[in-house]
Amino acid sequence: MTTGSSVLAGVSPRSDRSNDASPETPHAPNKAPATGVQAAGMRAVAARMVAFYFRAPVKAFFRGRIDYMGYARAINPHIVAEAKWSWRMTTPAVLAHAIQTEGWGFIPKQVLPPLMANTCIGAVLYTAYLHSLSALHEPSSHQTKRVYPPPPPSVTFTAGFIGGSIQSVVAAPFDALQTRFRTADILEGKHKTMWHYAGDKLRSIGMQGIFAGWTLSFVKDAFGAAVFFGTFETVKSQAYLAFVSRYYGSRTRDTLLEQSIPRLQQDHDDRPVIRPHYMLEPIFLLLAGVSASITSQLIRHPLTEIQDVHYRRLEALDFQAHYDHKPSHIVRRYYHAYEETFAQCKALAKRVGGWRNYLYRDFFMSTIKQVPSTAAGLIVFEIVRRKYSFENDEVMIQHEDARILLT
């Protein structure tokens, strides 16, 4: 058999399904929201666990919308004194010191609100992506364990773009809170808890303040998620199927017969049935997660550099908007703020030797620190999605001399 053998999609019936049992139809209720919430939560937990290994602040390891450890670090004497790194500066130790100092009420007042916000934003992204993918690719709407044929890259890119766009809208208030957050306000008693801070700040800045700088967030979230999910699904499905077809399609018939599995008695096809090695798919799943993290960082990292410069102007814009409420003046100020941001970034880029050096500085370490949690989040996302899916018929890839069974 040659590597150029044609590949056809086929479905073989399940032998363990009785005729009188009510089959689970492909049009069963959509469970995408539950999948999105669980994947987002597990991704946050994975980031916290691996952060200890890298000995870096959680915000640098996996940048959530709101840093839930900001206040805990502000009251930690070792971090305030900028002492040499020790185990007392790890996330568990910093959190334990905060609880010892502030009491157990510190968790629901200062830690839980940012964690809930980050999980909510992640759940919105995953859920919006799943619903968009179901609308754009009919086989994906069946909620089966294996989607065949898999969605093409253009579809997953579009679904990711839609999911990232929706995420940017939902995340706008949280971005506004994070960029204006000052630990000193809580230390001085201006805001008793994160709940009080969020309510007071959102009321003071209004809608124009909430969506200040939203254009940059939209571009970063939409295109970042498009590349993120497009790469993940392409490597996980397209690359896996191509490898399996090419690898087993190039084997001799004697080798295929040695690796074949027993056939059903009613099966009159004399071609051997091959089930791929059980480790192949998890390997491609891991590669998909790592590849998605790296490629999405190519979009997110440079835009984050620009965002950091632009967000420093927001409090000045809030102050000006407080005394001048004319819509035309507000729009003009925000437009000029983007111009000033670009001019400042241009000057910073010239200082370090060009745009590439400026936008991608510290790219390697930032990506290395983020890859484990992102890959883990995508793997959990895929596992949970399969857990909540429904049993479907096996997929049989037809070759000239063999059949490849995907379960």
Side-chain angles (χ1 to χ4, degrees), residues 197-223:
Y197 162 73
D200 293 343
K201 184 60 68 175
L202 291 178
R203 281 192 297 268
S204 64
I205 63 177
M207 290 298 296
Q208 72 272 9
I210 290 175
F211 286 95
W214 177 76
T215 303
L216 287 173
S217 296
F218 168 77
V219 173
K220 185 177 78 170
D221 290 342
F223 284 97

Side-chain angles (χ1 to χ4, degrees), residues 85-103:
W85 186 92
S86 69
W87 68 270
R88 292 183 178 87
M89 300 173 68
T90 61
T91 299
V94 172
L95 191 60
H97 176 270
I99 295 174
Q100 185 179 7
T101 304
E102 302 285 332

Side-chain angles (χ1 to χ4, degrees), residues 71-78 93-107 110 187:
Y71 182 61
R73 286 195 294 270
I75 62 175
N76 188 281
H78 301 283
V94 172
L95 191 60
H97 176 270
I99 295 174
Q100 185 179 7
T101 304
E102 302 285 332
W104 283 102
F106 175 82
I107 299 294
Q110 311 295 352
L187 291 175

Side-chain angles (χ1 to χ4, degrees), residues 16-90:
D16 58 346
R17 181 178 296 174
S18 60
N19 296 330
D20 57 344
S22 59
E24 294 174 323
T25 64
H27 302 286
N30 197 324
K31 298 189 178 182
T35 303
V37 171
Q38 289 199 22
M42 288 301 297
R43 183 176 177 178
V45 172
R48 303 292 83 79
M49 294 173 63
V50 186
F52 174 79
Y53 172 78
F54 285 102
R55 299 182 179 182
V58 173
K59 188 175 180 180
F61 171 74
F62 177 67
R63 189 163 188 167
R65 259 8 208 232
I66 301 179
D67 182 15
Y68 76 99
M69 290 295 293
Y71 182 61
R73 286 195 294 270
I75 62 175
N76 188 281
H78 301 283
I79 296 179
V80 173
E82 297 182 354
K84 185 179 179 180
W85 186 92
S86 69
W87 68 270
R88 292 183 178 87
M89 300 173 68
T90 61

Side-chain angles (χ1 to χ4, degrees), residues 3-267:
T3 57
S5 301
S6 61
V7 179
L8 300 175
V11 176
S12 66
R14 296 183 62 90
S15 59
D16 58 346
R17 181 178 296 174
S18 60
N19 296 330
D20 57 344
S22 59
E24 294 174 323
T25 64
H27 302 286
N30 197 324
K31 298 189 178 182
T35 303
V37 171
Q38 289 199 22
M42 288 301 297
R43 183 176 177 178
V45 172
R48 303 292 83 79
M49 294 173 63
V50 186
F52 174 79
Y53 172 78
F54 285 102
R55 299 182 179 182
V58 173
K59 188 175 180 180
F61 171 74
F62 177 67
R63 189 163 188 167
R65 259 8 208 232
I66 301 179
D67 182 15
Y68 76 99
M69 290 295 293
Y71 182 61
R73 286 195 294 270
I75 62 175
N76 188 281
H78 301 283
I79 296 179
V80 173
E82 297 182 354
K84 185 179 179 180
W85 186 92
S86 69
W87 68 270
R88 292 183 178 87
M89 300 173 68
T90 61
T91 299
V94 172
L95 191 60
H97 176 270
I99 295 174
Q100 185 179 7
T101 304
E102 302 285 332
W104 283 102
F106 175 82
I107 299 294
K109 293 178 181 179
Q110 311 295 352
V111 176
L112 189 59
L115 279 179
M116 292 175 61
N118 290 332
T119 301
C120 173
I121 294 169
V124 167
L125 172 63
Y126 287 119
T127 305
Y129 166 74
L130 287 176
H131 280 288
S132 302
L133 185 63
S134 299
L136 296 172
H137 186 244
E138 194 272 338
S140 298
S141 64
H142 295 165
Q143 295 297 311
T144 53
K145 288 187 176 181
R146 183 179 299 280
V147 177
Y148 196 90
S154 59
V155 171
T156 54
F157 184 92
T158 304
F161 185 89
I162 295 173
S165 302
I166 296 175
Q167 180 198 38
S168 68
V169 176
V170 176
F174 303 110
D175 287 340
L177 293 173
Q178 173 64 21
T179 56
R180 294 166 174 84
F181 176 72
R182 290 181 178 178
T183 308
D185 291 343
I186 295 182
L187 291 175
E188 296 171 359
K190 185 176 181 180
H191 304 292
K192 294 181 179 179
T193 67
M194 283 291 187
W195 301 103
H196 295 157
Y197 162 73
D200 293 343
K201 184 60 68 175
L202 291 178
R203 281 192 297 268
S204 64
I205 63 177
M207 290 298 296
Q208 72 272 9
I210 290 175
F211 286 95
W214 177 76
T215 303
L216 287 173
S217 296
F218 168 77
V219 173
K220 185 177 78 170
D221 290 342
F223 284 97
V227 174
F228 187 76
F229 286 109
T231 303
F232 176 71
E233 296 287 357
T234 299
V235 176
K236 176 182 73 72
S237 300
Q238 305 282 357
Y240 171 68
L241 292 177
F243 175 83
V244 167
S245 299
R246 180 177 294 273
Y247 177 77
Y248 290 103
S250 62
R251 310 300 291 269
T252 64
R253 181 173 178 82
D254 292 339
T255 304
L256 293 174
L257 288 172
E258 293 177 359
Q259 299 178 351
S260 63
I261 61 176
R263 294 169 297 179
L264 302 177
Q265 294 181 355
Q266 64 268 27
D267 188 358

